[in-house]
Amino acid sequence: MSAEHDHSHHEHEHHSGHAGHEHHRPGKVSWGMAASATLHCLTGCAIGEVLGMVIGTALGWGNLATIVLAVALAFVFGYALTMRGVLRAGVGFKQALKVALAADTVSIIVMEIIDNTVMMVVPGAMEAGLGSGLFWGALAFALAVAFVLTTPVNKWLIGRGAGHAVVHAYHH
């Protein structure tokens, strides 16, 4: 077999001595790994969420329209952030999109339900203007709560070879 087709030695060399690669063994996922995957997801979600909240609030839209825009943009930016890394690994656009959908969908759904629920239950947060500390404080709090509550979900997903576990094959 030619060296270009025999990757068994590459896998061993690439991963030898790397502590913390527990995600290769189902069920053995560290909290740090889950937090890292959640932070990655939160980054894309937060960009879209903040942008959507800012646009909706600036345009004087109602809560529903603002939340719909924020959620849509959270998905767009969440997937785009994952796709960026996968595309950099030389994967085609269609496959990168499939990887992003598999890696992030559940995490983004959970995160968006949590952070938008928090925004809705903080009195006056959705009605507060962009110059209001209440708006920004509630949004930061909502994203922090979403991070804390989504981390165990990601830990569970990665432990089953789903979620961000599917992205690992494309990291070099």
Side-chain angles (χ1 to χ4, degrees), residues 79-134:
Y79 290 144
L81 190 62
T82 295
M83 286 180 66
R84 184 185 70 168
V86 177
L87 287 167
R88 234 187 278 142
V91 175
F93 184 85
K94 188 174 178 181
Q95 183 61 30
L97 179 60
K98 287 179 183 179
V99 169
L101 292 171
D104 293 339
T105 300
V106 172
S107 184
I108 294 172
I109 289 170
V110 171
M111 200 166 283
E112 288 305 300
I113 289 170
I114 294 166
D115 73 50
N116 284 291
T117 299
V118 171
M119 284 300 289
M120 293 297 294
V121 300
V122 172
M126 290 296 292
E127 292 73 34
L130 297 177
S132 164
L134 174 60

Side-chain angles (χ1 to χ4, degrees), residues 18-154:
H18 283 227
H21 275 69
E22 299 93 334
H23 52 285
H24 287 287
R25 289 172 268 149
K28 299 277 187 180
V29 179
S30 71
W31 282 104
M33 183 185 305
S36 176
T38 305
L39 187 59
H40 181 270
C41 183
L42 180 68
T43 302
C45 285
I47 292 167
E49 185 77 25
V50 169
L51 190 58
M53 289 287 179
V54 167
I55 292 169
T57 302
L59 295 176
W61 291 2
N63 291 351
L64 181 60
T66 299
I67 287 174
V68 167
L69 177 62
V71 169
L73 290 175
F75 275 93
V76 168
F77 281 91
Y79 290 144
L81 190 62
T82 295
M83 286 180 66
R84 184 185 70 168
V86 177
L87 287 167
R88 234 187 278 142
V91 175
F93 184 85
K94 188 174 178 181
Q95 183 61 30
L97 179 60
K98 287 179 183 179
V99 169
L101 292 171
D104 293 339
T105 300
V106 172
S107 184
I108 294 172
I109 289 170
V110 171
M111 200 166 283
E112 288 305 300
I113 289 170
I114 294 166
D115 73 50
N116 284 291
T117 299
V118 171
M119 284 300 289
M120 293 297 294
V121 300
V122 172
M126 290 296 292
E127 292 73 34
L130 297 177
S132 164
L134 174 60
F135 173 82
W136 292 106
L139 187 53
F141 176 69
L143 292 169
V145 171
F147 173 81
V148 169
L149 297 180
T150 306
T151 298
V153 173
N154 281 327

Side-chain angles (χ1 to χ4, degrees), residues 1-9:
M1 184 182 298
S2 73
E4 104 184 359
H5 289 88
D6 180 10
H7 295 288
S8 60
H9 71 281

